Amino acid sequence: YQRRVRGSPKSVGMKIDMHTHILPDAWPDMEGIELLIKELPEPEGEFTHEMRWKNGDLFRKVAPNCFCCKTRLEQCDAHGVDVQVLSTVPVLFNYHLDPKHAIPWTQFINDDLSQKVGQNPRRIVGLGTLPLQDPAAAVVELRRCVEELGLAGVEIGSHVNAWDPDTGGTVDWMLSDPKLFPVFEAAAELGACIFVHPWDMGWCDSKYWLPWLVGMPAETSLAICSVMCGGVLERLPELKVMFAHGGGGFPGTIQRVEWGYKTRPDLVAKDSTLSPVEQVRRIYVDSLTHDVKMLKHMIQLMGPNRIALGSDFPFPLGEMPSVAPTTGEVLTAYPGKMIEETDELDKDTKEQILYRTALDFLGRSQEDFDWN
């Protein structure tokens, strides 16, 4: 695959997009899997495939940039993105399944992702997925991801709606749950990075797209507080963990959490001797805030060396070009546009966020990739 000349107007050095999603272009009808993808009889605008539940309900229609690396890399070139870090779509986590069904599913997703990385190793980095409902199996799959498949780490959900063998239903585990600690411990040992993505916002009122607009930021904040208050970061200071969507609601509420830590240590400080403020520079977040002022607040809070470009490619809530369907307003965006075009950040800070933080998080160097 030959690169075209990059097309974004104010590129600064290299660009690595830490937060992008990809699907297999097809998957078998495996036992327990309720969501399928198939090609549409005729393209509908940009959409060529649909994801549909087995009960017939439509989940979403998707364009080739959701699964085709050639299409994605052509768009990367137009956006000035040198490297994409790929992870699956959270609806495919399938933590609710019996492990005997979840493990082969997870292996299929990771094998597909590894194949995509292998075809474009100097443009693409992969983060696998894990059967977290079975932590022992998750550790085995994590090792396979890193040691055999060449993946840099894994993407996990903001909590785990784990299959419950006693009831056949599910039970929610927060990321602080002791059952998950061996997974974090193995990641730290392997030098594998963990990208935490919000999901499973069924508790949130479904009107007005609120699960995505309000539920996701809340889930991310919940996940950050869980690993902080649960002592995960204190026990594993070398663990590299990044949270999506600019840390969700956490940057705006950290002082509330800190105040609670000080005033009610009997409730908040039970499992960690480090306060949230003391731990905030131990985590990473992506840059997807849609707001320069919030990004500057995060820089002051965490430092630019803990913030990495993330776009949520190829979905419309991310930093992607779109057209407002009601007004026809052209929403001009591309990964990194806000960072590149603002006059409120200096060149060194921009470069740190656009690629240096990602290199550090991934344990890679510029020489590992093709860029211009």
Side-chain angles (χ1 to χ4, degrees), residues 276-314:
V277 166
E278 290 175 305
Q279 296 186 69
V280 72
R281 293 192 177 219
R282 295 191 179 194
I283 66 171
Y284 296 80
V285 298
D286 73 21
S287 63
L288 189 56
T289 63
H290 304 284
D291 183 356
V292 173
K293 291 183 174 61
M294 177 53 72
L295 182 60
K296 289 177 67 179
H297 168 65
M298 289 161 48
I299 291 169
Q300 183 178 23
L301 178 68
M302 309 178 67
N305 64 323
R306 292 286 165 168
I307 305 169
L309 170 65
S311 73
D312 214 351
F313 180 102

Side-chain angles (χ1 to χ4, degrees), residues 115-150:
Q115 183 180 40
K116 288 178 166 66
V117 173
Q119 292 169 350
N120 301 277
R122 295 184 63 82
R123 299 293 307 278
I124 290 174
V125 177
L127 299 178
T129 186
L130 298 176
L132 287 177
Q133 63 268 62
D134 183 339
V139 170
V140 172
E141 184 63 13
L142 174 61
R143 292 189 180 278
R144 191 178 80 96
C145 283
V146 174
E147 297 176 344
E148 299 179 26
L149 300 184

Side-chain angles (χ1 to χ4, degrees), residues 69-126:
C69 286
K70 182 177 184 295
T71 300
R72 293 172 73 97
L73 291 178
E74 288 172 351
Q75 293 182 0
C76 281
D77 288 340
H79 300 153
V81 173
D82 299 284
V83 179
Q84 277 195 338
V85 181
L86 309 184
S87 54
T88 194
V89 179
V91 72
L92 301 185
F93 286 155
N94 284 317
Y95 298 145
H96 68 287
L97 294 181
D98 184 322
K100 68 182 181 183
H101 301 145
I103 292 169
W105 168 256
T106 300
Q107 292 170 339
F108 169 78
I109 292 292
N110 292 336
D111 289 344
D112 179 80
L113 182 58
S114 177
Q115 183 180 40
K116 288 178 166 66
V117 173
Q119 292 169 350
N120 301 277
R122 295 184 63 82
R123 299 293 307 278
I124 290 174
V125 177

Side-chain angles (χ1 to χ4, degrees), residues 24 68 71 87 115 125 135 146 182 185 216 222 243 246 274-275 295 303 323 328 340 362:
C68 174
T71 300
S87 54
Q115 183 180 40
V125 177
V146 174
E185 193 171 35
M216 279 192 167
L222 176 66
F243 297 86
L274 297 176
S275 76
L295 182 60
V323 177
E340 289 182 303
L362 296 168

Side-chain angles (χ1 to χ4, degrees), residues 26-263:
W27 55 81
D29 186 2
M30 301 172 69
E31 190 170 358
I33 304 302
E34 295 296 322
L35 185 63
L36 300 175
I37 187 171
K38 67 176 184 178
E39 189 171 1
L40 292 168
E42 296 290 338
E44 298 179 14
E46 64 177 327
F47 302 120
T48 59
H49 290 64
E50 66 176 11
M51 300 172 69
R52 192 174 289 275
W53 299 102
K54 283 187 176 179
N55 66 7
D57 290 345
L58 178 68
F59 177 67
R60 66 161 54 114
K61 295 176 183 178
V62 296
N65 62 5
C66 281
F67 52 81
C68 174
C69 286
K70 182 177 184 295
T71 300
R72 293 172 73 97
L73 291 178
E74 288 172 351
Q75 293 182 0
C76 281
D77 288 340
H79 300 153
V81 173
D82 299 284
V83 179
Q84 277 195 338
V85 181
L86 309 184
S87 54
T88 194
V89 179
V91 72
L92 301 185
F93 286 155
N94 284 317
Y95 298 145
H96 68 287
L97 294 181
D98 184 322
K100 68 182 181 183
H101 301 145
I103 292 169
W105 168 256
T106 300
Q107 292 170 339
F108 169 78
I109 292 292
N110 292 336
D111 289 344
D112 179 80
L113 182 58
S114 177
Q115 183 180 40
K116 288 178 166 66
V117 173
Q119 292 169 350
N120 301 277
R122 295 184 63 82
R123 299 293 307 278
I124 290 174
V125 177
L127 299 178
T129 186
L130 298 176
L132 287 177
Q133 63 268 62
D134 183 339
V139 170
V140 172
E141 184 63 13
L142 174 61
R143 292 189 180 278
R144 191 178 80 96
C145 283
V146 174
E147 297 176 344
E148 299 179 26
L149 300 184
L151 304 180
V154 291
E155 175 196 36
I156 67 172
S158 48
H159 70 275
V160 180
N161 64 331
W163 175 76
D164 184 351
D166 294 329
T167 66
T170 62
V171 57
D172 284 341
W173 298 344
M174 300 299 103
L175 298 188
S176 58
D177 195 298
K179 291 185 284 295
L180 295 174
F181 187 78
V183 180
F184 293 120
E185 193 171 35
E189 174 201 334
L190 291 165
C193 51
I194 294 178
F195 184 72
V196 181
H197 197 287
W199 86 298
D200 189 32
M201 300 81 62
W203 53 266
C204 187
D205 188 344
S206 63
K207 290 189 298 183
Y208 315 125
W209 213 21
L210 292 181
W212 274 258
L213 302 181
V214 175
M216 279 192 167
E219 276 287 328
T220 306
S221 184
L222 176 66
I224 294 174
C225 289
S226 292
V227 299
M228 286 183 172
C229 297
V232 176
L233 299 175
E234 183 174 359
R235 295 171 65 188
L236 298 172
E238 69 278 24
L239 180 67
K240 290 185 175 181
V241 56
M242 180 178 291
F243 297 86
H245 307 146
F250 185 76
T253 56
I254 181 173
Q255 292 304 330
R256 178 180 177 86
V257 181
E258 179 77 4
W259 191 256
Y261 181 90
K262 293 176 179 177
T263 59

